[in-house]
Amino acid sequence: MRVLVILAVCAVVSAKIIPDDFPQCKRNDPELDKCILKAVDVVKPRLLNGIPEVNVPALDPFNVPTLKLDRTASNLRLKATIKNMKAFGGSNFKIEKMKLNLNNKYVGEVKLTIPQLEVTAEYDVRGSRILTLDISGKGKFRSNFTGITVVAKGSAKPIVKDGVEYLQAEKMITKLRIGNGQVFIDDTERPVAASSAAAFFNASPSVVLDILNPLIEESSAAIFKAFFNKIFGTIPLNEILVVDA
């Protein structure tokens, strides 16, 4: 998704993985943004299960094997390990706005919406709290989020490996807004406390999401940057951005 998906579409086109009638986007096209948006619509079904040929991961579910969280704020102390996280529903994204600047630099901004995401994972949380609520424990959780808006901004630079240029992300920033959410927790260590924590969240999701939002934004930006570099570290830059002969 995000800037990652948009540039991945260009990579897929150049690698000739999809049919020849797929829309080709040229670097010097004055309507490059429109061309790429059209390309995204065409290739979107292939993003559902991923495109192994160019290291594009599946969007449904989107998998994160391990995620470490460590943050302290006035109303939050969180130290957690999240494993086997899966997000379902990301393939239903809709791009609302896009801007690319390829004039001697590689900068992009994308605004998109996702109607609903279901997230499942295993967690191990130690010495943590939200407000005054102890949230330490270990187990599994499932959460449903609706009305999601994401604005992703990124910059990249070319690097040279064995005489070939590749594109790698320098900076990735995401801003998220989640309309509503519910969580369901199955804790093996402290089931009563976990039930209370889930009830607190479900009664006031906007309060908890506001507290967690900076951490969610930082974590998502780090995940997307890692996947960006994984994909574009194997595809030469001159195959991602097609230049007229």
Side-chain angles (χ1 to χ4, degrees), residues 24-36 242 244:
Q24 293 267 342
C25 298
K26 303 293 180 62
R27 180 185 179 122
N28 59 355
D29 187 342
E31 295 190 330
L32 177 62
D33 294 357
K34 290 182 180 179
C35 179
I36 293 177
V242 180
D244 285 327

Side-chain angles (χ1 to χ4, degrees), residues 16-166:
K16 301 298 183 184
I17 294 169
I18 57 178
D20 290 337
D21 60 356
F22 187 87
Q24 293 267 342
C25 298
K26 303 293 180 62
R27 180 185 179 122
N28 59 355
D29 187 342
E31 295 190 330
L32 177 62
D33 294 357
K34 290 182 180 179
C35 179
I36 293 177
L37 286 174
K38 181 180 178 181
V40 170
D41 286 338
V42 174
V43 80
K44 193 174 179 180
R46 289 178 61 91
L47 298 175
L48 181 67
N49 297 315
I51 308 173
E53 298 91 330
V54 287
N55 286 332
V56 175
L59 288 186
D60 241 330
F62 186 80
N63 298 301
V64 180
T66 303
L67 181 63
K68 300 280 189 179
L69 303 175
D70 193 344
R71 186 179 182 89
T72 300
S74 59
N75 50 12
L76 174 68
R77 172 66 181 117
L78 182 62
K79 189 175 183 64
T81 299
I82 309 298
K83 292 185 177 180
N84 301 320
M85 186 169 73
K86 300 180 185 296
F88 301 83
S91 62
N92 294 321
F93 72 91
K94 179 182 178 182
I95 297 177
E96 305 289 347
K97 181 181 178 182
M98 181 184 68
K99 293 192 299 183
L100 295 176
N101 185 342
L102 303 181
N103 296 323
N104 299 318
K105 55 184 177 180
Y106 303 91
V107 179
E109 178 179 340
V110 180
K111 178 182 179 181
L112 59 88
T113 55
I114 305 172
Q116 181 176 0
L117 274 182
E118 178 179 343
V119 180
T120 64
E122 302 169 12
Y123 67 90
D124 189 346
V125 182
R126 300 296 159 189
S128 300
R129 61 172 178 81
I130 294 179
L131 297 174
T132 60
L133 185 66
D134 185 351
I135 57 171
S136 298
K138 184 176 183 179
K140 298 179 180 180
F141 76 85
R142 177 171 60 88
S143 55
N144 289 314
F145 302 107
T146 57
I148 302 159
T149 300
V150 182
V151 176
K153 299 179 181 180
S155 62
K157 67 176 182 180
I159 63 169
V160 178
K161 293 189 297 184
D162 298 325
V164 179
E165 277 193 329
Y166 298 88

Side-chain angles (χ1 to χ4, degrees), residues 1-10 36 40 95 98 100 110:
M1 257 178 294
R2 304 94 181 163
V3 177
L4 169 62
V5 168
I6 289 173
L7 289 177
V9 168
C10 295
I36 293 177
V40 170
I95 297 177
M98 181 184 68
L100 295 176
V110 180

